[in-house]
Amino acid sequence: MAYRNAYNKNFGTLGVAVAQSWPERDIIKAKGKRKHTLGLALSGGGYRSAIYNYGVLSGLYEIGVIPRIDYLSVVSGGSWMGTAFSMTKSMEWFFRRTWTSNRPNFIEEGFESLLPHPGRVLQEAALARKNVNYASNIYGRLLAKTFLREHGDLSRYKPLSDGALVRDKDRPFLIINGTVYFRRPKRFEVTQECFEMTRLYCGSRSLGYLDTPSLRAPDYPIRIRDAIAVSGAAVSLHIPGLGSEVLGLGLSREVKNYTLRLRVPRPGMPDAAHLDLADGGFYNNLGVESLIHRGCRYIIVVDAEHDPEKPKTKTRSNQGYSGLRTLLKRHHIPMSLKQGMIATLDRADEAVHIIPNRDPKLPDVLYIKLKSSKHFDRVASKEDYNQPGFLQNLFRRGKFSFNPQFSTAKLDYDFAEHRNLSELGRFEVLKHKALIKRFAARST
């Protein structure tokens, strides 16, 4: 595929015609859409986001909405889950029902077997190639063994362009989002943009797009593990008992500046030998921009950011919605609409909302927000794995307690906390089954 400086020159133009101007046109055409496409965005938020998104995907699969979704745009923790979903050989196996048992599900097995295990971290550190991307290499190997373990070592070494692993014939076309940083010639300020990685092409709106095999680190083309490491490259540390993150660390990955190879140089392109790619959440943590760029008229957003509830009244959660506020600011949406949107979403015990947009350049959105739910608590408190132990009975009087907004860096979770978070995502989808199916059906 030759270098292209743009696929959608008029950002904000919506419709199937826009989607069919991109290289995945045959994949989208096979979905049978004639007028509008549907996108699903899985937000960042570390492993908390991955767990919650697993539950949401499980619910969408169960109610039969997955086949109607054209694009899957993922960021950070959402990319860990979305890529595993896009690579699984059998969705029935991937979403195997363990909801009413004490056996670990797919994502629980991954966390319990690797991420909290310091010996595995040291092993990967010893095996990783020692170069400028050493830290990113270790991180990618850990993520691949945690989330992409179904494919064994193939997931650690295969390029992102491998169509046999990243599948899209029976599921949405996958877009993994990172953030690219570069300086234009004779300018001091750094440009920050969404950097999109797919099995067919990679690039950004300013830098243009090239075929995925041509996007290279100093030695290798970008691999599947590199893409998810780039997208989720913000690492936080947590000390049990302190409650939240105590240290944050951003990991970047160097790739060769592909704009230097242009036969006819474009003005304003960076002249450095390398480009820095980092966590997609640094640009926007919702992953919505890539779907607007491809003309999606309808978008389902799963917002699993670390957004603690601070209720001042019985009707409001009083959450921050930082990812949404950043997105609205980037697209210069009037403040009045911004305030109205946040007010609509921020209701206690209501996680799912439809946001119709009067602006023809913006899609209609079905927004699924991670927040606590009394309705879920009443159901979950009866499950066997949530029965309180001796100490809970002694100090909490046996009361069920679950806070879905636990820290991204908190690895000292127990089985119940993990299971409750994934089951909460599935619960909200099933609870709003009719609403979600009607919204998805509007994409024709």
Side-chain angles (χ1 to χ4, degrees):
M1 185 181 79
Y3 169 87
R4 287 281 296 272
N5 64 355
Y7 285 105
N8 178 11
K9 296 181 180 179
N10 300 312
F11 185 84
T13 303
L14 306 177
V16 166
V18 177
Q20 291 178 353
S21 69
W22 293 76
E24 67 274 8
R25 62 182 67 86
D26 292 338
I27 299 168
I28 302 302
K29 188 177 181 179
K31 298 276 186 180
K33 302 294 179 66
R34 297 182 301 276
K35 189 175 181 181
H36 294 301
T37 52
L38 171 66
L40 171 63
L42 303 182
S43 85
Y47 82 90
R48 179 194 58 255
S49 169
I51 300 168
Y52 184 71
N53 280 315
Y54 177 75
V56 171
L57 284 171
S58 299
L60 294 175
Y61 174 71
E62 195 168 331
I63 67 175
V65 167
I66 293 293
R68 295 203 59 84
I69 301 173
D70 302 287
Y71 283 101
L72 175 61
S73 177
V74 294
V75 180
S76 198
S79 72
W80 307 342
M81 196 70 262
T83 306
F85 162 74
S86 297
M87 289 177 60
T88 188
K89 300 173 185 176
S90 167
M91 285 190 278
E92 185 175 351
W93 171 85
F94 186 73
F95 294 126
R96 56 190 184 273
R97 288 297 303 278
T98 56
W99 304 103
T100 57
S101 75
N102 291 329
R103 291 177 53 242
N105 59 33
F106 170 84
I107 195 170
E108 289 164 353
E109 287 177 352
F111 281 114
E112 291 173 359
S113 66
L114 182 63
L115 281 184
H117 199 307
R120 301 283 176 83
V121 177
L122 292 175
Q123 181 185 49
E124 296 302 334
L127 293 173
R129 184 183 295 269
K130 300 190 175 48
N131 56 25
V132 68
N133 289 322
Y134 178 61
S136 179
N137 286 334
I138 297 173
Y139 194 49
R141 293 171 71 100
L142 288 168
L143 291 175
K145 289 189 70 173
T146 301
F147 298 102
L148 312 181
R149 64 191 183 282
E150 179 184 352
H151 298 275
D153 284 345
L154 287 177
S155 66
R156 300 167 67 189
Y157 301 111
K158 286 290 185 177
L160 179 60
S161 57
D162 192 322
L165 291 182
V166 180
R167 306 157 189 262
D168 41 44
K169 289 185 178 179
D170 61 344
R171 63 203 75 178
F173 184 77
L174 177 67
I175 307 165
I176 303 173
N177 294 280
T179 300
V180 63
Y181 297 89
F182 59 92
R183 281 191 174 94
R184 301 181 188 276
K186 300 180 181 179
R187 295 187 186 179
F188 179 77
E189 69 273 10
V190 175
T191 299
Q192 181 189 59
E193 277 193 347
C194 174
F195 192 84
E196 303 150 343
M197 296 168 282
T198 79
R199 72 174 181 85
L200 298 178
Y201 57 91
C202 299
S204 73
R205 283 198 287 150
S206 290
L207 298 179
Y209 299 83
L210 78 167
D211 61 280
T212 301
S214 296
L215 181 66
R216 302 179 67 90
D219 41 11
Y220 292 114
I222 189 168
R223 294 162 291 196
I224 297 171
R225 80 178 199 208
D226 299 332
I228 61 174
V230 165
S231 183
V235 180
S236 299
L237 302 179
H238 167 81
I239 298 178
L242 293 186
S244 191
E245 289 89 347
V246 295
L247 177 65
L249 176 65
L251 302 177
S252 65
R253 184 170 188 83
E254 282 191 0
V255 296
K256 290 185 178 180
N257 180 4
Y258 57 91
T259 67
L260 294 177
R261 300 186 300 233
L262 299 181
R263 292 183 179 178
V264 181
R266 292 173 56 206
M269 291 294 98
D271 52 14
H274 297 92
L275 302 171
D276 284 329
L277 302 181
D279 192 298
F282 294 156
Y283 178 79
N284 184 257
N285 211 27
L286 296 184
V288 173
E289 177 167 314
S290 296
L291 299 178
I292 299 175
H293 199 15
R294 284 157 183 80
C296 291
R297 178 66 175 81
Y298 301 100
I299 297 177
I300 300 174
V301 177
V302 184
D303 181 350
E305 288 192 314
H306 186 40
D307 199 0
E309 298 176 77
K310 302 174 183 178
K312 295 180 180 179
T313 68
K314 292 182 179 180
T315 59
R316 297 291 177 188
S317 296
N318 198 31
Q319 294 178 287
Y321 288 85
S322 61
L324 179 58
R325 292 179 188 275
T326 300
L327 180 70
L328 297 178
K329 184 177 179 181
R330 289 194 187 282
H331 292 291
H332 312 292
I333 296 178
M335 182 61 70
S336 58
L337 179 59
K338 173 181 174 180
Q339 292 171 338
M341 186 179 294
I342 300 296
T344 299
L345 293 171
D346 195 34
R347 296 174 182 169
D349 295 314
E350 294 184 24
V352 179
H353 299 272
I354 289 181
I355 307 171
N357 270 303
R358 297 175 183 175
D359 188 335
K361 292 185 177 182
L362 293 173
D364 288 356
V365 174
L366 188 146
Y367 208 98
I368 303 176
K369 176 64 175 174
L370 174 60
K371 61 175 64 178
S372 60
S373 167
K374 293 179 181 177
H375 311 289
F376 171 75
D377 290 351
R378 284 196 291 268
V379 174
S381 61
K382 299 175 184 177
E383 297 293 345
D384 291 341
Y385 50 80
N386 277 320
Q387 298 307 307
F390 171 76
L391 291 178
Q392 286 177 309
N393 275 313
L394 185 63
F395 295 104
R396 299 182 184 177
R397 300 181 182 178
K399 184 178 180 181
F400 168 75
S401 178
F402 167 57
N403 175 17
Q405 291 289 347
F406 58 79
S407 166
T408 301
K410 181 179 182 296
L411 292 176
D412 57 320
Y413 59 87
D414 58 22
F415 179 90
E417 191 172 35
H418 198 304
R419 175 60 58 89
N420 285 330
L421 185 58
S422 57
E423 194 166 355
L424 174 62
R426 175 176 173 268
F427 175 88
E428 295 295 356
V429 172
L430 297 184
K431 177 184 173 184
H432 298 88
K433 173 181 176 180
L435 180 69
I436 294 172
K437 293 190 74 169
R438 284 198 304 269
F439 183 85
R442 292 163 63 184
S443 170
T444 58

